[in-house]
Amino acid sequence: MKKILQAEVIYDAFMDTILKKLPKKEKDYPEWFKERLDKCSSCKFNTKNVPNSILPISLYVSKMVGKNRCSICTCFIKQKAWSKTEECAIGEGLPMPSWMPESYAPLYQGEKSRWNRMELITMDSDEFNLVSTDREKYNVDLSEDGKSFQIRFAPIAKGSNVDFSFILESKHNVKIVASEVACNCTSKKLNIMDNNHFSFDMGINTSGFGVGRFIKHMTVHYQREGRNEEEKITIDFIGKIV
């Protein structure tokens, strides 16, 4: 699996603007979009909040014409925030931009992502997409080798139960044959919405976990319509007990 390229994401967002899919009036913005824009508006790395004297010329020009950009990834904020497949640049693990003065280093180090990815769309048409149902509780991503989805939680208090859900969206009609988890601490419930959408209600009991990072796995077995062979995908649940 591979995530769709960022250039394609931003292009699609610009096309949404041109095709008027992105609402013109703020009162028509969906709640998730308002939340993202509000968080970006107060961010110290929004070009509108960065002194003009240190901005590189391309970011300065955009700022002067009223098109604020993220000074870390350089994306236009409104378009990036409109893309459910995008996450805050701080969460992408990008290095501090070379043009930023050393005085920004303490501000950059240890910063947390402002908002999470809500959907993960892959480039492989035979694969599923993963749709978040709780944008505040976790972020969605792919493993480095591209073989599994990842759901990454915000820090979890020791002994807490983690209840969450997500949707697997198939580009073809499929049948879920089985789903299995790696240990008894993880519970699952499958809700079949239709032949393309499958909702999972999950729970992780962390009472026996020690402080630190944990990773749990679930494997989903499925058959695509018109094919006899069984296929599978893996979903990793990753968190940190504090």
Side-chain angles (χ1 to χ4, degrees):
M1 289 185 288
K2 293 182 180 179
K3 290 183 287 187
I4 61 173
L5 301 176
Q6 186 186 63
E8 182 178 345
V9 169
I10 301 303
Y11 170 78
D12 288 344
F14 271 109
M15 290 306 296
D16 280 355
T17 304
I18 294 170
L19 297 174
K20 300 181 180 179
K21 293 181 181 179
L22 197 162
K24 286 186 176 181
K25 298 179 180 179
E26 289 187 21
K27 67 180 182 66
D28 296 325
Y29 288 171
E31 194 61 33
W32 61 267
F33 186 47
K34 290 180 184 177
E35 290 178 5
R36 285 183 167 192
L37 292 180
D38 286 345
K39 290 175 180 179
C40 286
S41 180
S42 60
C43 179
K44 62 178 71 74
F45 302 112
N46 185 327
T47 52
K48 78 170 187 175
N49 301 322
V50 178
N52 293 342
S53 59
I54 64 172
L55 281 173
I57 186 64
S58 61
L59 297 183
Y60 172 78
V61 170
S62 296
K63 179 179 180 179
M64 290 301 99
V65 298
K67 302 292 184 182
N68 291 315
R69 296 165 69 178
C70 172
S71 65
I72 297 172
C73 66
T74 72
C75 292
F76 289 93
I77 288 174
K78 195 170 185 179
Q79 278 69 34
K80 179 163 184 170
W82 180 248
S83 301
K84 291 183 178 181
T85 56
E86 283 294 289
E87 67 176 310
C88 166
I90 297 172
E92 294 175 343
L94 301 173
M96 188 176 79
S98 58
W99 60 265
M100 279 188 180
E102 286 300 316
S103 59
Y104 265 69
L107 300 177
Y108 191 75
Q109 295 168 356
E111 282 290 314
K112 295 182 179 179
S113 180
R114 309 291 193 251
W115 40 267
N116 292 326
R117 183 182 293 109
M118 298 167 62
E119 297 180 358
L120 184 56
I121 301 176
T122 63
M123 295 175 66
D124 188 335
S125 61
D126 290 337
E127 298 292 346
F128 287 90
N129 300 327
L130 195 151
V131 181
S132 168
T133 58
D134 192 333
R135 58 185 179 274
E136 298 295 331
K137 188 174 291 186
Y138 61 80
N139 198 10
V140 294
D141 209 338
L142 284 182
S143 60
E144 289 187 6
D145 61 12
K147 294 182 179 179
S148 62
F149 284 115
Q150 292 183 339
I151 288 181
R152 293 186 278 109
F153 300 100
I156 301 165
K158 182 175 171 58
S160 300
N161 288 331
V162 185
D163 297 314
F164 62 102
S165 61
F166 61 90
I167 295 172
L168 284 179
E169 176 186 68
S170 174
K171 299 175 184 177
H172 304 92
N173 289 339
V174 300
K175 175 185 177 182
I176 300 294
V177 178
S179 57
E180 53 191 19
V181 292
C183 70
N184 292 331
C185 66
T186 306
S187 62
K188 58 181 174 57
K189 179 182 177 182
L190 167 63
N191 303 295
I192 301 174
M193 303 166 70
D194 56 39
N195 290 338
N196 304 96
H197 298 85
F198 307 89
S199 173
F200 285 85
D201 294 325
M202 307 293 300
I204 299 178
N205 183 342
T206 72
S207 58
F209 294 9
V211 172
R213 185 176 183 270
F214 71 84
I215 179 168
K216 301 297 175 181
H217 312 279
M218 181 172 78
T219 303
V220 178
H221 302 261
Y222 67 96
Q223 284 181 315
R224 181 173 161 181
E225 187 177 64
R227 295 183 179 180
N228 294 324
E229 66 270 22
E230 184 178 298
E231 302 178 69
K232 63 182 180 180
I233 57 170
T234 302
I235 304 166
D236 302 326
F237 308 120
I238 303 171
K240 183 178 181 181
I241 303 298
V242 295

